[in-house]
Amino acid sequence: MKIIKMHLLPIKLQLKKPFISNHETISEREITVIGLKNDAGIWGYGELEAFSAPYYTPETQESARLIIRKVIGPLLKNIQINQPEEITIIFNNIAGNQMAKAAVETAIWDLFAKTQKKTLAELIAQKMNTTYRQNVPVGISIGAKSSLVDLKNTIISANAQGYRRIKIKVTSSEELDIIKRILQEFPDLTFMIDANSSFSLKTTTKFAELAAPNLVMIEQPLRTTDFVDHSRLQSRIKTRLCLDENIFSLDDVKTACMLKSAQAINLKIARVGGITNALAIINFCWEHKLLVWCGGMLEAGIGRATNLAIASLTGLNFPGDISASSRYYFKDVITSEFILEHGMLSVPDELGIGVVLNSKYQKALQNTVSLL
């Protein structure tokens, strides 16, 4: 197939509640919808997941859109695409800019699945020589809380909704003290904490004190560029460490594995450059006994559907950060909702990512000027 049109539509979505992490507090989530049309008249969609400011990764919505317009777009002109993996080879000449690449690459996977009359989950499972689940167990990520009462109420609500695992953002030593009490008060729930690089090795004793059967991992406690100190910390505590912001490529996972920097990887499709790279990372983790699971980045419906297709793979058993649609936004960009039932989300059974852009955004997207 050939791509004959590429459209970009920036969108701002209001969150129901501010989402607090060590990086920033987000009340409004900016995304960009990417629409690709092939020579058979079929449309594929991707979602640009960079944030508005360069706190989580160096890319921003504005900078990534520029790269898509000026660099990625020209690479798609007049090329024949026989398999979606070919795009990653072409994009490898571009240094960094993983989220810009992923936004377009995931749209191509959606487009290719539709041309093959398959769901994206089905296509991905076929590429991995495995199967996929129709219903995927999911977890929830809770923004940082400074009050024990507020945190307990949020946990009780999340548990009542059926989420299989609860991740709590932490930003200070005081919050770690609160977590210690939470672990004691909810012994039957499964927890992990995400520090978003809030700490240093000086906090080793605090982390060691958190060791408990219901705390399954500590995510990204140290610097986003560090592998060595994470290795030192992992050797000193019993709880499994998980790397997130460090992981931009398969090479980063190999480094973490060789140095024993962590025992788990939070895989974010956008941050590693797309589905092809994500599948390579999953294969490596499976071969080297690293726990790998699908993380989230406050995605809207298109990104959520793409994540769900990856998370549906048989073998990705740890519940990912793929909450119900109603968790974050008053109004999504797609016509349907992902509804939590018994702690699981259903994989769409329509072709490709299986969701439809609502008419308002579909019309706005196609009214933008094509970049091809």
Side-chain angles (χ1 to χ4, degrees), residues 13 63 70 78 120 172 257 262-263 283 294 306 332 354:
L13 299 174
S63 70
K70 299 294 186 181
N78 302 316
L120 181 59
S172 68
C257 183
Q263 298 174 20
N283 267 326
C294 187
T306 305
D332 206 336

Side-chain angles (χ1 to χ4, degrees), residues 226-259:
D226 168 74
F227 290 94
V228 174
D229 281 353
H230 275 100
S231 176
R232 290 171 177 154
L233 177 59
Q234 182 66 92
S235 70
R236 297 172 187 175
I237 65 174
K238 295 180 180 179
T239 308
R240 173 196 287 126
L241 292 187
C242 175
L243 290 184
D244 178 13
E245 286 94 329
N246 289 58
I247 307 301
F248 287 85
S249 66
L250 176 58
D251 286 340
D252 290 333
V253 178
K254 290 179 177 179
T255 298
C257 183
M258 178 64 70
L259 295 179

Side-chain angles (χ1 to χ4, degrees), residues 8-268:
L8 303 183
L9 180 66
I11 296 170
K12 291 183 178 180
L13 299 174
Q14 192 70 32
L15 270 72
K16 291 182 175 179
K17 294 181 181 179
F19 192 81
I20 303 170
S21 73
N22 187 48
H23 296 303
E24 60 180 320
T25 297
I26 299 174
S27 298
E28 185 179 64
R29 178 67 161 112
E30 183 181 7
I31 63 163
T32 300
V33 173
I34 288 83
L36 301 179
K37 186 180 181 181
N38 71 3
D39 48 0
I42 301 171
W43 284 86
Y45 299 98
E47 188 174 301
L48 175 60
E49 309 296 2
F51 290 98
S52 300
Y55 299 131
Y56 178 71
T57 68
E59 290 176 89
T60 67
Q61 283 284 321
E62 186 175 1
S63 70
R65 285 195 296 265
L66 178 65
I67 293 296
I68 292 171
R69 291 190 185 102
K70 299 294 186 181
V71 182
I72 292 177
L75 292 177
L76 296 180
K77 288 184 178 179
N78 302 316
I79 64 167
Q80 180 69 32
I81 302 171
N82 298 308
Q83 295 293 331
E85 297 93 331
E86 296 168 3
I87 290 300
T88 300
I89 298 172
I90 295 170
F91 288 175
N92 280 343
N93 292 324
I94 304 170
N97 294 283
Q98 298 291 65
M99 292 190 179
K101 295 175 187 176
V104 177
E105 192 256 15
T106 52
I108 288 172
W109 273 84
D110 177 39
L111 189 53
F112 187 81
K114 288 170 179 172
T115 65
Q116 297 296 304
K117 301 189 184 304
K118 298 179 185 294
T119 67
L120 181 59
E122 183 182 6
L123 177 63
I124 288 171
Q126 178 184 314
K127 296 283 187 180
M128 294 289 281
N129 294 314
T130 187
T131 57
Y132 71 97
R133 299 160 293 181
Q134 192 60 51
N135 297 300
V136 180
V138 296
I140 190 172
S141 181
I142 297 172
K145 307 283 186 183
S146 58
S147 162
L148 176 61
V149 173
D150 287 347
L151 184 54
K152 285 175 63 174
N153 288 337
T154 305
I155 290 169
I156 291 169
S157 174
N159 183 50
Q161 293 173 64
Y163 285 105
R164 301 295 182 92
R165 180 269 300 154
I166 298 172
K167 177 165 83 173
I168 305 170
K169 299 280 187 179
V170 292
T171 62
S172 68
S173 293
E174 291 74 21
E175 288 171 11
L176 291 180
D177 293 331
I178 293 175
I179 295 297
K180 190 173 181 179
R181 293 183 60 181
I182 289 293
L183 295 174
Q184 293 169 349
E185 293 193 34
F186 297 93
D188 297 327
L189 301 186
T190 300
F191 291 99
M192 60 179 290
I193 59 173
D194 183 4
N196 293 119
S197 303
S198 299
F199 300 100
S200 70
L201 278 177
K202 294 178 182 178
T203 324
T204 297
T205 301
K206 283 268 190 184
F207 286 132
E209 291 173 352
L210 290 176
N214 56 337
L215 180 65
V216 294
M217 70 181 74
I218 299 170
E219 183 179 330
Q220 199 66 45
L222 309 179
R223 300 181 309 282
T224 59
T225 55
D226 168 74
F227 290 94
V228 174
D229 281 353
H230 275 100
S231 176
R232 290 171 177 154
L233 177 59
Q234 182 66 92
S235 70
R236 297 172 187 175
I237 65 174
K238 295 180 180 179
T239 308
R240 173 196 287 126
L241 292 187
C242 175
L243 290 184
D244 178 13
E245 286 94 329
N246 289 58
I247 307 301
F248 287 85
S249 66
L250 176 58
D251 286 340
D252 290 333
V253 178
K254 290 179 177 179
T255 298
C257 183
M258 178 64 70
L259 295 179
K260 299 181 179 179
S261 304
Q263 298 174 20
I265 300 296
N266 179 346
L267 177 62
K268 291 178 178 169

